[in-house]
Amino acid sequence: MTARSGSARRPGRLRPGPLRAGSGRPYGRRPRPVRARFRLSELPGVTAAPACAAGAAAASRALARAGLGHLGGHLALRGPAGVRAGDLARAAERAVAAALRRAR
C-alpha cells in the first residue's frame, strides 16, 4: 500500500478543541449569562418577572442582609431556558446590590 498525498488525515480535525481550565467545555462555547434588573420600591415584597421563586427569595434575602427588609421591589430576569436556580439567585443578589448602590 502506498500513501496518497491527499488522504493524509489532519490531526485535530475530529478531536474537540482545547478545554477551559476546570470547566470541561471547549473555549468557543460560553454559557449565556443571566441578566437581572432590580427596581427598588417603598412597598414591601418582591415581585419577579418571569415568575421565579428562587430569584424573588434571593432578592428578599439580599434586602434583609442589607438591613432594608422593610423595602421591596421588582426583579426582572432574562436568560436562556433551563437555567439553574442557583444562577438565578446569584443574578438576583447582584441586581439588588447594584440597585442599592445606585440608591445611596
Side-chain angles (χ1 to χ4, degrees), residues 35-98:
R35 300 194 184 272
R37 172 87 180 186
F38 187 76
R39 285 184 305 185
L40 198 57
S41 164
E42 295 288 327
L43 299 174
V46 173
T47 59
C52 172
S60 294
R61 283 193 306 270
L63 282 172
R65 269 190 303 241
L68 300 170
H70 62 281
L71 297 177
H74 179 74
L75 177 68
L77 294 167
R78 290 187 320 238
V83 178
R84 296 180 302 196
D87 294 337
L88 293 174
R90 276 189 296 281
E93 289 173 356
R94 286 192 312 266
V96 169

Side-chain angles (χ1 to χ4, degrees), residues 12 14-31:
L14 300 177
R15 287 183 283 172
L19 298 178
R20 252 189 265 163
S23 72
R25 288 184 309 246
Y27 275 110
R29 292 185 189 164
R30 290 192 175 146

